[in-house]
Structures are given as C-alpha cells and as structure tokens.
C-alpha cells in the first residue's frame, strides 16, 4: 500500500492554521523589545531594557525560583500519590473502582474557580492550625497544586498500567516475590515511561497554574504566573512580554532537542 502524501491544498491549509495559532505568540516578540514603559509595539527604536529588568530584578528571580521549587515538589508528590492509587486500583479491582476514580478526578472535572474557592477556605483554616503550610506559604501552594495535578497524573499512570500483562506480575508472585517486590522490580520498571510522562505533565501543569494560585497566595508566595498576572493587571509591564519570549524560546529548545534526540536514535 502506497504512503499517503498530502497535496498542496492540505499543506497550505495546515500552514495557515499553524500561523493562526502562532500569531499571538509571534506578536509578543516585537513587543518585548519596545522602549516604552508599557505594552506597545516599538516604533523604529528597539530596546533590551525589559530583558534587563528580568535579569536584574530580584522579584522576578524569586518568582521563577519559587515556581521551579513548587513544580518539582508538587509533581514529585503528585506522581507518587498517582502511582500508589493506580497500583491499588490495578491490584485490588474494587467494586467501587469507578466511584473512587471519579472522586480522584473531581479537581479535573469541576471548574477551576470552584476548586480555588474550596482550597482558599481550606488553606485559611489550615493557616490557623499550622501557619507554615497554610495560606500564602510555599507548602500551601504545593498542597494546592498537588490537589489540582494529581488527576492528570492518575490518568497517565493508569493508561500505562493498562498496557501491562497481569501474567508477568503473577509469574513474579509465583516465583516467591512479595507484592512489594513484584511492584518495585516488575511493574514499575515496565511503566517507567508512563511515570516520567506523569511527572512531566504534573510539573508543567503546576508551573502554569494561576487560577488556584490567585486565591491561595497574597504577598509572600508569588509564583511566576502570579507575577505575570500582577504585571498585566497593575501596570501592563512590558517585562511580561520579555519573560513570555524567554519561555517560548526555552519551550522550542526543549521540543527541538527532543526531536533531534529521537532522530539520532533511529
């Protein structure tokens, strides 16, 4: 059977669709070089003043570092919890499996603002009992992000487990392995890619989380998305365009690096 090759019309439509989707991102690039103190297209003169602001301003550094730390911790905890839950469902197969999975998926299903309000009241109450992990704290943000990203990690891990033949686990148990040994030495290595994918997805979702973060933080735990939101809401700071371009470049570098790595392995 011959390989299907798209015609010129299909290629043209694909290019136009891609340009339409990329247009907002492309518009940010020239705005990041504006010499003005507000978001506006440059008029003849280009400036790096807003990139210099990102480089020199300690507030931006603190927000970036906080988002990185929150993302690393939240994604690791979320992946651990998602793996434990998914393995439990895979092993036990309880009668209420669908109900339990649905309960875990609630943060994914309900509108983010509903989750944000619930977490706000929970963090406010938690701040009275344990101020270090409550409202407007690092651990408060971590806990809230874990709640929001666990459902996505559960989906990825459960899909990976669905590809595992249960007979390999039965064979390991038949050879004397305990359930913990079978999980650690047989099951988990076979879903390693799924675990990595779950962790990466959880990190990305935590990195860009803004709806819940706006409700549970104030002045002490300002993540990068919140700082960007503040820059747009308070004074339309062009540094927002500069940091957006930096993030776009990093994303493109990661994607292209992944493509090149995959091509070199063929």
């Amino acid at each position: 059977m011959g390989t299907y090759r798209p015609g010129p019309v299909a290629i043209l439509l694909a290019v136009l669709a891609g340009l339409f989707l990329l247009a907002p991102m492309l518009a940010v690039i020239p705005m990041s070089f504006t010499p003005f103190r507000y978001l506006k297209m440059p008029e003849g003169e280009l400036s790096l003043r807003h990139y210099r602001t990102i480089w020199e301003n300690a507030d931006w550094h603190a927000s970036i570092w906080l988002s990185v730390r929150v993302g690393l911790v939240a994604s690791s905890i979320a992946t651990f919890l998602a793996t434990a839950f998914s393995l439990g469902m895979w092993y036990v197969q309880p009668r209420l499996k669908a109900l339990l999975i649905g309960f875990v998926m609630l943060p994914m299903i309900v509108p983010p603002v509903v989750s944000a309000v619930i977490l706000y009241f929970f963090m406010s109450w938690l701040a009275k009992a344990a101020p270090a992990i409550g409202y407007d704290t690092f651990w408060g943000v971590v806990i809230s992000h874990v709640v929001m990203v666990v459902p996505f990690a559960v989906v990825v891990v459960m899909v990976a487990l669905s590809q595992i033949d249960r007979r390999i686990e039965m064979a390991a148990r038949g050879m004397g392995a305990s359930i913990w040994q079978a999980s650690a030495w047989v099951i988990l290595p076979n879903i390693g890619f799924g675990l990595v994918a779950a962790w990466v997805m959880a990190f990305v979702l935590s990195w860009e989380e803004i709806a819940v973060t706006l409700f549970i933080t104030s002045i002490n735990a300002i993540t990068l998305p919140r700082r960007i939101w503040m820059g747009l809401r308070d004074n339309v700071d062009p540094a927002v365009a500069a940091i957006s371009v930096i993030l776009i470049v990093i994303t493109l570098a990661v994607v292209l690096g992944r493509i090149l790595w995959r091509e070199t392995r063929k």
Side-chain angles (χ1 to χ4, degrees):
M1 182 180 296
T3 303
Y4 171 76
R5 295 183 179 277
V9 176
I11 295 176
L12 177 62
L13 291 175
V15 171
L16 292 176
L19 291 176
F20 175 78
L21 295 174
L22 291 174
M25 290 191 296
L26 297 177
V28 171
I29 297 175
M31 294 178 68
S32 68
F33 294 100
T34 182
F36 302 103
R37 298 179 60 183
Y38 52 89
L39 279 177
K40 183 180 180 180
M41 284 293 184
E43 298 177 356
E45 180 185 357
L46 299 179
S47 174
L48 294 174
R49 60 180 296 185
H50 305 298
Y51 288 93
R52 190 161 53 248
T53 298
I54 300 296
W55 180 260
E56 298 175 352
N57 193 312
D59 292 336
W60 283 101
H61 299 170
S63 295
I64 294 172
W65 177 231
L66 177 62
S67 288
V68 170
R69 289 189 292 134
V70 168
L72 292 174
V73 177
S75 58
S76 299
I77 296 175
T79 303
F80 173 79
L81 294 176
T83 304
F85 174 82
S86 302
L87 281 174
M89 294 297 101
W90 191 76
Y91 274 118
V92 180
Q93 297 289 323
R95 291 183 179 180
L96 300 178
K97 178 180 178 180
L99 181 62
L100 293 173
I101 294 176
F103 179 77
V104 172
M105 296 298 158
L106 278 178
M108 180 192 296
I109 299 170
V110 300
V113 67
V114 175
S115 299
V117 171
I118 294 172
L119 287 169
Y120 165 75
F121 285 111
F122 174 70
M123 288 299 156
S124 298
W125 171 84
L126 192 60
K128 299 176 181 178
I133 59 175
Y135 177 81
D136 201 22
T137 64
F138 168 78
W139 285 107
V141 177
V142 168
I143 293 171
S144 301
H145 283 201
V146 168
V147 171
M148 297 303 297
V149 304
V150 157
F152 298 91
V154 166
V155 171
V156 176
V157 176
M158 292 195 73
V159 169
L161 282 172
S162 67
Q163 309 300 316
I164 298 295
D165 191 338
R166 296 189 69 93
R167 289 177 294 183
I168 64 173
E169 185 266 337
M170 296 171 61
R173 296 293 299 277
M175 297 179 67
S178 66
I179 188 171
W180 300 104
Q181 291 172 326
S183 299
W185 299 344
V186 178
I187 304 301
L188 293 182
N190 278 279
I191 61 169
F193 181 80
L195 297 179
V196 173
W199 188 91
V200 171
M201 176 175 288
F203 179 85
V204 172
L205 292 173
S206 173
W207 172 268
E208 67 179 11
E209 170 57 47
I210 181 61
V212 170
T213 307
L214 289 176
F215 278 77
I216 63 167
T217 60
S218 178
I219 59 174
N220 295 320
I222 303 178
T223 62
L224 180 59
R226 181 177 176 85
R227 172 113 10 224
I228 292 174
W229 181 83
M230 291 168 57
L232 291 174
R233 179 177 179 272
D234 297 338
N235 57 3
V236 196
D237 188 356
V240 172
I243 193 66
S244 299
V245 173
I246 293 173
L247 293 176
I248 291 172
V249 171
I250 293 174
T251 303
L252 288 176
V254 171
V255 172
L256 292 176
R258 167 63 179 169
I259 293 174
L260 292 175
W261 179 78
R262 185 174 59 184
E263 290 296 325
T264 56
R265 288 176 59 90
K266 289 185 178 179

